[in-house]
Amino acid sequence: MKISVLSELAPSQLSHAAALPLCTEDISTDAPLPGLPKDIAKGVREWVQHTGFNANAREFSLCTLHTPRGRLDIFLLGCGPRPALHAGILRVAGGRAAMEARRLAINNVDLFLSHSERFANPKPWVRAFTTGFIEGTYHIRKSANAKPSALSIKALRIVTGSKSQLVIARDESVRGAEIGGTINRIRDIANRPGNEAPPRVIARESQKIAKSCGLKYSAWNRAELKRQRCNSILAVAQGSKEEPYLIQLTYPGRKRKLPPLVVVGKTITFDTGGISLKPGKNMEWMKFDKSGGMAVLAFMSLVGAVLKPDRPVIGLLAAAENMPGSTATRPGDVITSRNGKTIEIINTDAEGRLVLADALDVASGLNPACIIDFATLTGAALVALGRQVSAIMSNHAELSESLQKAGERTGDRLWPLPLYPEYAHLLNSPFADVKNIGDGTAGTIIGGMFLKAFVKPGIPWAHIDLTSAWEERPTSHGPAGATLFGAALLAEWLDSKGPETT
Ligand code: BES
Ligand code: ZN
Ligand code: ZN
């Protein structure tokens, strides 16, 4: 798709579709919408009055005008009141615009930002809209030889209304397209079911991505994990015939001596629960229990191909399949994890924290500037927060706040939960240093508390418990399946400040 940025567009040059984000304030007066061709501004006004379109966030209306130049479909994209506007609203609006364009078989779309002072400063709106627009073009390939859809959008033109903002808007649209494009590319891996994407396939795909993005690839297989005493990862994998891997992607950076940023992803390619078997209903969604790792993979691909920071960045994917079987871990088994702590495995379904325990210990040994992990760790996070925001827990207030801010600028939003030391006793075991579950209260926090015990003290660390790593059905703004929540967030965080904040 070709993306271009212009300060204005003569009526004679308009495409057949226009996307028009509108805040409630933009339609609350009778003043004509500035920055739009007169007849279009008038037509939109009349349509808004006629239909009662309120411009609430996520509200959509298709306004079709018949102009002397022909038919024009205008996507009215509600963005809600200005004080509550955040990048996620624009990202969703972008996705919606792309979905509508595809539905109407439209090839060219013009995005207008020129009519609203809210969008006069293109940051972060242009990046968020473009990311969402590209994400909205993604479609799941139902078979390997399925033809690419004929309904492809050829061009997006962004009309800013001001010359002074052109350069920023252009850069932001390029970055948005890179992020959206990378997310879509990794979605092809992330959407694969358990049978098609066991850990060895994730390792192979990671190697391909590394090669194409200039990253160094290495991986520990079962034998190497044994040598490295990663007994916690091995315990999760021991009921499966599929070999576990700890995959490492390294971006060396120009300043190789600087401490690296280390990102870690839970990559359970299928989570049956193990001997603590999950109920059958809805278990199919546990193919997305690799989502943390997939977000890390997308981020690392952006680091190598696009962001290219000075500082080294390392991605770790702790990949295993959690299966029941005669060789599987039993409830009550005690293992010695890589950092020497013994763990009593009460519930084999709390496996994410086990693979992460060893991965965080490996991360701690890399002299990191900071560690950030992503995981579909607890169902409790979804119960507490729903799908609009994921949970963040951290031992470092500044790191946590900078990640939350980056979340607000991308739509990958985060909400903090506390890791008070008073929770720690819930993990006490009479038979080991810790057990892997608490008493059922504060499920998400207990997951965070457990992980904290495996991060070397003094290292700034944040843990993100994902609530919206996948969609179970198509939404107004995108397809069903993996969302790669976290990839855009990390890219924005690294772009703006990164580990400098720590
Ligand atoms: N992968 C699940 C968590 C999960 C479930 C995320 C559903 C998103 C949707 C994780 O491995 C798990 O099973 N966690 C247990 C922890 C419990 C045993 C302490 C859970 O949430 O029930
Ligand atoms: Zn589980
Ligand atoms: Zn899991």
Side-chain angles (χ1 to χ4, degrees):
M1 188 191 309
K2 190 174 173 329
I3 300 182
S4 50
V5 180
L6 330 154
S7 58
E8 53 195 317
L9 199 57
S12 60
Q13 297 172 325
L14 279 174
S15 302
H16 291 295
L20 198 59
L22 291 167
C23 288
T24 37
E25 290 85 347
D26 295 325
I27 60 164
S28 62
T29 65
D30 282 339
L33 290 158
L36 293 183
K38 288 247 159 42
D39 55 340
I40 294 173
K42 186 161 165 280
V44 169
R45 275 266 165 251
E46 283 168 8
W47 180 261
V48 165
Q49 266 152 17
H50 178 72
T51 59
F53 178 75
N54 290 315
N56 293 328
R58 295 193 179 200
E59 191 180 349
F60 175 83
S61 182
L62 177 62
C63 163
T64 303
L65 298 181
H66 297 277
T67 74
R69 301 172 300 277
R71 176 191 162 117
L72 174 64
D73 287 313
I74 306 176
F75 307 148
L76 303 184
L77 300 159
C79 293
R82 279 176 201 175
L85 188 64
H86 60 89
I89 292 176
L90 265 286
R91 189 165 165 190
V92 164
R96 182 73 196 254
M99 297 276 276
E100 291 295 331
R102 276 169 53 85
R103 191 174 64 81
L104 298 167
I106 286 168
N107 290 323
N108 301 285
V109 178
D110 298 328
L111 164 68
F112 282 91
L113 296 172
S114 47
H115 57 283
S116 173
E117 63 193 54
R118 188 63 177 107
F119 302 120
N121 183 349
K123 236 176 170 172
W125 319 124
V126 167
R127 182 189 294 209
F129 186 95
T130 327
T131 303
F133 193 80
I134 302 288
E135 287 173 312
T137 64
Y138 182 78
H139 50 273
I140 293 170
R141 277 201 289 171
K142 292 197 180 176
S143 65
N145 48 12
K147 288 203 187 75
S149 163
L151 299 173
S152 70
I153 303 169
K154 305 257 174 335
L156 171 68
R157 293 190 295 189
I158 301 171
V159 186
T160 62
S162 118
K163 281 209 168 67
S164 64
Q165 302 291 348
L166 270 184
V167 175
I168 297 179
R170 192 164 294 137
D171 289 351
E172 290 291 303
S173 69
V174 168
R175 186 48 53 86
E178 288 163 343
I179 293 170
T182 302
I183 285 175
N184 287 353
R185 179 175 175 201
I186 306 300
R187 272 172 158 173
D188 282 339
I189 306 168
N191 281 329
R192 290 192 206 165
N195 64 328
E196 289 178 6
R200 71 191 139 81
V201 171
I202 300 296
R204 195 180 67 208
E205 294 297 332
S206 301
Q207 188 169 20
K208 280 195 217 156
I209 300 283
K211 199 162 179 209
S212 70
C213 300
L215 304 168
K216 214 181 104 212
Y217 165 90
S218 62
W220 293 348
N221 61 7
R222 195 175 254 143
E224 186 60 25
L225 287 165
K226 267 190 197 132
R227 271 194 289 278
Q228 296 285 345
R229 306 176 319 281
C230 290
N231 298 325
S232 215
I233 297 177
L234 290 164
V236 171
Q238 76 187 37
S240 170
K241 73 169 183 29
E242 293 293 346
E243 194 167 8
Y245 287 87
L246 182 63
I247 301 159
Q248 179 167 341
L249 301 170
T250 305
Y251 166 81
R254 278 176 295 276
K255 300 186 178 162
R256 295 166 179 262
K257 296 265 156 61
L258 281 180
L261 157 66
V262 182
V263 284
V264 182
K266 168 177 174 181
T267 315
I268 297 296
T269 59
F270 195 81
D271 182 10
T272 64
I275 296 297
S276 315
L277 194 64
K278 286 181 181 296
K281 193 167 169 350
N282 298 329
M283 204 206 274
E284 65 277 16
W285 297 108
M286 284 299 109
K287 67 178 174 177
F288 291 119
D289 211 23
K290 59 184 177 305
S291 298
M294 296 299 95
V296 169
L297 186 56
F299 171 63
M300 288 309 298
S301 145
L302 283 165
V303 165
V306 174
L307 303 170
K308 300 187 174 136
D310 285 346
R311 179 187 292 277
V313 184
I314 299 174
L316 289 174
L317 278 68
E321 185 180 52
N322 189 20
M323 284 289 195
S326 66
T327 60
T329 304
R330 294 152 284 256
D333 281 3
V334 175
I335 56 160
T336 305
S337 69
R338 189 172 190 269
N339 83 343
K341 284 200 167 91
T342 54
I343 305 171
E344 186 189 9
I345 300 175
I346 303 290
N347 188 321
T348 64
D349 196 11
E351 84 298 340
R353 61 199 70 184
L354 296 177
V355 297
L356 288 178
D358 283 344
L360 289 170
D361 186 60
V362 172
S364 295
L366 296 169
N367 180 34
C370 64
I371 302 173
I372 306 172
D373 78 69
F374 287 80
T376 45
L377 206 70
T378 67
L382 186 61
V383 173
L385 296 173
R387 292 185 194 281
Q388 298 308 318
V389 66
S390 287
I392 180 165
M393 285 142 274
S394 178
N395 61 5
H396 195 283
E398 244 177 280
L399 172 62
S400 176
E401 278 157 29
S402 67
L403 284 164
Q404 288 169 56
K405 282 189 189 139
E408 292 301 306
R409 294 195 301 272
T410 55
D412 288 351
R413 301 175 97 186
L414 301 173
W415 197 259
L417 290 176
L419 294 181
Y420 296 143
E422 286 82 353
Y423 288 110
H425 73 276
L426 293 171
L427 288 169
N428 289 346
S429 155
F431 304 110
D433 292 327
V434 281
K435 53 181 183 170
N436 77 331
I437 61 167
D439 65 358
T441 64
T444 302
I445 292 174
I446 289 298
M449 292 298 293
F450 182 92
L451 296 182
K452 189 170 177 230
F454 296 88
V455 178
K456 215 160 92 209
I459 300 176
W461 156 77
H463 157 57
I464 289 149
D465 195 335
L466 299 165
T467 63
S468 45
W470 70 88
E471 294 287 352
E472 300 192 351
R473 49 192 73 84
T475 62
S476 64
H477 52 276
T483 61
L484 276 283
F485 181 104
L489 160 76
L490 278 173
E492 167 66 25
W493 179 77
L494 188 65
D495 241 359
S496 52
K497 274 193 170 155
E500 311 317 323
T501 54
T502 62

